[in-house]
Amino acid sequence: MLITPVDAALQSENLPFDIRAPKIQTVPLVFASPHSGRNYPADFVQEACLDPVELRRSEDSFVDELFGAAPDFGAPLIRALFPRAFIDANREPFELDPKMFFDTLPPYANTESNRVLAGLGTIARVVSYGNEIYRRKLSFAEAAQRIETFYHPYHAALGTLIDHTRERFGYCIVVDCHSMPSIGGPLDTDTGHGRADFVLGDRFGSSCATYITEIIERTLTGFGYAVTRNKPFAGGFTTENYGHPRDGVHAVQIEINRALYMDEIRIQRGQEFGRIAAQVSDLIAALANMGTQALAAE
């Protein structure tokens, strides 16, 4: 896949992300997949309490592939290559649980968010089903090194894509791409309950123009899917941090029910994977082709 000169400046060997982009960006869209990375550091896997498959339960497995057609419609797709269980790019940079560390955290660390209390901070204590990851306590220096090496480069690149898109088109729409377990886990507000096919998160209308969310919902319901908004997921750090419609940046999170496209136990693509990927491509096309008049009125 060819990349633009701007994107080429972001790309180099050994970066913790990659960018798949068209030769020329033709639409004001940026797609991001912060949780589909599967490059697990060997020492992290060796020291973990969990086996490799259990570690992968926190992944939004194969979501980058489901949205892989974005460049075909004129939009870049940035993918974190590091796994969510190692460091979570959809959190604040220092959202840390003090119980995980043997030394004192700096005062700027956010130690009391709901995500930290659930064990799912920037450095997660547990995987999404509540199983502990680590055999030992970490040092703050280890966390800071991960944040500096993996987290900050990903967000610097995403921020650059957003800025260049806004400069080129006057505004930018960030689509943050995720998947969710089909049943709410022990750390979720909907524990034990089955979930909709898709959940759209726009921070209850604050991070994205209603017009955009409605196009996504209308397209998905047209395929026959059950779609909800902002429950149980209203959007994470990406939508909250970048989604400022008055400044010309709209951000919406899309959560796909994993039972639609994969085997959640074995972490394998399911028989319906190709069909779901084709429908996601149709969704990307709908966003790429949408008009802008209603956006200007938001």
Side-chain angles (χ1 to χ4, degrees):
M1 178 66 63
L2 294 173
I3 56 176
T4 67
V6 168
D7 295 331
L10 296 172
Q11 303 264 41
S12 68
E13 291 183 2
N14 301 319
L15 282 178
F17 63 88
D18 70 8
I19 297 169
R20 298 189 172 186
K23 184 175 182 179
I24 299 174
Q25 185 176 351
T26 58
V27 293
L29 296 165
V30 172
F31 290 83
S33 182
H35 287 165
S36 57
R38 41 194 179 269
N39 290 353
Y40 286 80
D43 56 350
F44 170 69
V45 175
Q46 185 174 6
E47 293 182 359
C49 297
L50 307 175
D51 65 42
V53 173
E54 288 177 306
L55 283 174
R56 295 192 65 188
R57 304 243 184 264
S58 286
E59 270 183 37
D60 291 349
S61 299
F62 317 120
V63 162
D64 55 335
E65 297 177 24
L66 292 177
F67 286 87
D72 297 334
F73 296 95
L77 167 66
I78 181 172
R79 313 181 302 163
L81 302 179
F82 51 88
R84 180 187 187 186
F86 183 67
I87 184 166
D88 192 336
N90 200 31
R91 298 289 183 263
E92 298 174 26
F94 291 95
E95 211 167 342
L96 302 174
D97 184 346
K99 296 190 296 295
M100 294 178 62
F101 299 91
F102 62 73
D103 48 359
T104 302
L105 297 179
Y108 55 80
N110 180 351
T111 61
E112 298 181 351
S113 74
N114 289 334
R115 294 174 290 210
V116 165
L117 296 177
L120 296 170
T122 316
I123 307 292
R125 176 171 52 83
V126 298
V127 292
S128 58
Y129 287 94
N131 295 328
E132 296 276 342
I133 295 173
Y134 295 95
R135 303 179 190 274
R136 62 176 178 86
K137 290 186 180 291
L138 307 177
S139 69
F140 173 70
E142 290 176 90
Q145 191 273 337
R146 292 187 199 180
I147 292 164
E148 182 65 25
T149 304
F150 297 89
Y151 180 100
H152 283 318
Y154 171 84
H155 278 285
L158 176 57
T160 298
L161 289 174
I162 292 169
D163 289 344
H164 282 278
T165 300
R166 182 169 51 178
E167 290 169 7
R168 180 179 177 87
F169 299 97
Y171 66 97
C172 177
I173 301 167
V174 181
V175 181
D176 205 37
C177 309
H178 295 263
S179 69
M180 59 187 172
S182 57
I183 298 174
L187 306 176
D188 299 315
T189 58
D190 60 343
T191 302
H193 293 280
R195 288 172 167 166
D197 297 318
F198 288 82
V199 176
L200 310 181
D202 61 5
R203 310 293 298 180
F204 299 95
S206 66
S207 70
C208 184
T210 304
Y211 173 63
I212 299 168
T213 309
E214 288 176 347
I215 286 176
I216 298 171
E217 183 173 18
R218 189 163 60 247
T219 302
L220 294 173
T221 55
F223 295 141
Y225 292 119
V227 182
T228 63
R229 294 195 203 181
N230 297 306
K231 191 173 181 180
F233 304 110
F237 176 77
T238 298
T239 49
E240 184 177 7
N241 184 62
Y242 296 106
H244 300 289
R246 291 185 179 180
D247 296 329
V249 180
H250 304 261
V252 60
Q253 177 175 289
I254 299 178
E255 295 270 3
I256 306 176
N257 190 314
R258 292 175 189 165
L260 292 176
Y261 72 89
M262 66 175 284
D263 182 327
E264 296 179 82
I265 302 301
R266 296 180 176 85
I267 319 294
Q268 296 175 353
R269 298 168 192 81
Q271 293 183 347
E272 296 297 308
F273 186 89
R275 181 176 65 86
I276 302 301
Q279 291 174 330
V280 171
S281 296
D282 289 342
L283 173 61
I284 296 169
L287 287 170
N289 294 327
M290 72 179 176
T292 59
Q293 291 183 348
L295 257 186
E298 289 282 344

